Amino acid sequence: MTLLTSAVIAERLRTEAQTYAQPERRMATVERLISACNAIARGELVKALSSGSDRGDPKLRRITAQNIAEYAKTQGWSGPTRTFLSNRSNGLIEYIRARENEREKTGPESKKKPKTQFESFLDKIEDIETRQYVRHEVERRKQLEQELTIIKNGLKRIPQIDLNTLISTTDAFRSSTTGASFDLSQGQATKDQQSILASLVDRLDDTDALRHFGLKDDAGDILSYSNALVISKSEMEVLRTMAGRKPKN
């Protein structure tokens, strides 16, 4: 019998709990999470928060961090809270999403919602772990795209930086066959543009400035605080060369 994706994740969470400093506390959190998801799937949250013959809010049938936190309150539990469950670093949100995806596929509402092309593609992947990995990578790409948009919007708010010039200058450098012989004074960029680029490099080399923008330096790579790569070490060296700066030791 093939296990559901959530069952695979639950088993992993239980195993990981044994590595915690307080394994019994982590295990209790995992078991409460699973218990709450089961109860919500059975409609117990609807019954607890609805009165009389009222069929209740259909949103209460969804397995979400908010509903799990609400169910915990009805049971008099101290947690888990919505904020705690939604924190990706806790590793619990993945289980919640898997349970909700499985509920939608088997519940009465599934007939009303046609599958997306992506979901249809995932269904063709027989191995559950591979399917979950593909889903995770797609979600990770969406997250990276959102972070890149945030960074671009942040740079646009700095009047000293012309983002379009920076991008076009970088593209011109990449199209050059030999980066070392790239000359910014030969029409590709004006001295003013080179000065602006130098100002940007100085900011990227400034730890305090990086922290202000929600970034950090990790062995030469510029990362977001979620550890997403923003500018690689080699790309930084390219920017330094274009700005007339010496390589950073």
Side-chain angles (χ1 to χ4, degrees), residues 12 15 30 54 59 78 83 85 98 109 115-116 122 127 132 134 137 159 162 164 203 207 222 234 248:
R12 189 187 73 215
T15 301
V30 172
D54 184 7
K59 291 182 180 179
S78 59
T83 302
L85 292 170
E109 297 179 2
K115 290 183 179 180
T116 64
L122 286 180
D127 183 73
Q132 190 65 18
V134 172
E137 287 301 306
D162 184 339
N164 291 328
R203 284 185 175 84
T207 303
I222 305 300
S234 59
K248 188 176 181 180

Side-chain angles (χ1 to χ4, degrees), residues 135-151:
R135 185 189 298 278
H136 172 75
E137 287 301 306
V138 171
E139 291 180 354
R140 190 170 70 92
R141 176 180 175 179
K142 290 180 181 178
Q143 179 68 23
L144 291 175
E145 289 175 344
Q146 292 173 356
E147 291 178 353
L148 178 60
T149 299
I150 292 173
I151 293 170

Side-chain angles (χ1 to χ4, degrees), residues 40-59:
I40 294 171
R42 292 193 298 266
E44 292 184 17
L45 183 60
V46 176
K47 296 176 183 177
L49 300 183
S50 302
S51 59
S53 60
D54 184 7
R55 296 180 61 185
D57 187 344
K59 291 182 180 179

Side-chain angles (χ1 to χ4, degrees), residues 14-15 17-18 22-32:
R14 289 188 177 108
T15 301
Q18 302 304 319
Q22 295 179 303
E24 65 285 348
R25 186 172 181 178
R26 175 66 174 184
M27 185 66 76
T29 298
V30 172
E31 294 305 328
R32 280 186 176 181

Side-chain angles (χ1 to χ4, degrees), residues 5-102:
T5 303
S6 62
V8 175
I9 298 174
E11 186 61 30
R12 189 187 73 215
L13 290 174
R14 289 188 177 108
T15 301
E16 290 176 347
Q18 302 304 319
T19 66
Y20 277 61
Q22 295 179 303
E24 65 285 348
R25 186 172 181 178
R26 175 66 174 184
M27 185 66 76
T29 298
V30 172
E31 294 305 328
R32 280 186 176 181
L33 169 63
I34 295 172
S35 178
C37 289
N38 292 339
I40 294 171
R42 292 193 298 266
E44 292 184 17
L45 183 60
V46 176
K47 296 176 183 177
L49 300 183
S50 302
S51 59
S53 60
D54 184 7
R55 296 180 61 185
D57 187 344
K59 291 182 180 179
L60 296 178
R61 297 184 181 277
R62 296 182 58 202
I63 299 176
T64 64
Q66 177 64 42
N67 282 348
I68 292 169
E70 287 295 332
Y71 180 78
K73 291 178 183 178
T74 68
Q75 301 301 300
W77 299 344
S78 59
T81 64
R82 181 187 64 81
T83 302
F84 179 79
L85 292 170
S86 300
N87 189 334
R88 294 172 64 91
S89 64
N90 292 325
L92 302 177
I93 194 67
E94 187 179 1
Y95 176 79
I96 296 171
R97 288 172 177 168
R99 286 297 301 265
E100 174 61 11
N101 288 334
E102 291 159 5

Side-chain angles (χ1 to χ4, degrees), residues 138-206:
V138 171
E139 291 180 354
R140 190 170 70 92
R141 176 180 175 179
K142 290 180 181 178
Q143 179 68 23
L144 291 175
E145 289 175 344
Q146 292 173 356
E147 291 178 353
L148 178 60
T149 299
I150 292 173
I151 293 170
K152 285 183 177 180
N153 290 338
L155 291 174
K156 287 178 181 178
R157 289 195 291 269
I158 304 175
Q160 296 91 339
I161 297 177
D162 184 339
L163 185 59
N164 291 328
T165 298
L166 174 61
I167 294 174
S168 62
T169 304
T170 303
D171 288 341
F173 180 86
R174 286 177 175 172
S175 63
S176 174
T177 56
T178 55
S181 63
F182 187 82
D183 188 351
L184 290 171
S185 65
Q186 298 300 316
Q188 290 93 338
T190 65
K191 291 183 178 179
D192 287 341
Q193 290 171 338
Q194 186 177 10
S195 176
I196 291 172
L197 186 57
S199 177
L200 173 60
V201 170
D202 289 341
R203 284 185 175 84
L204 293 175
D205 281 336
D206 187 324

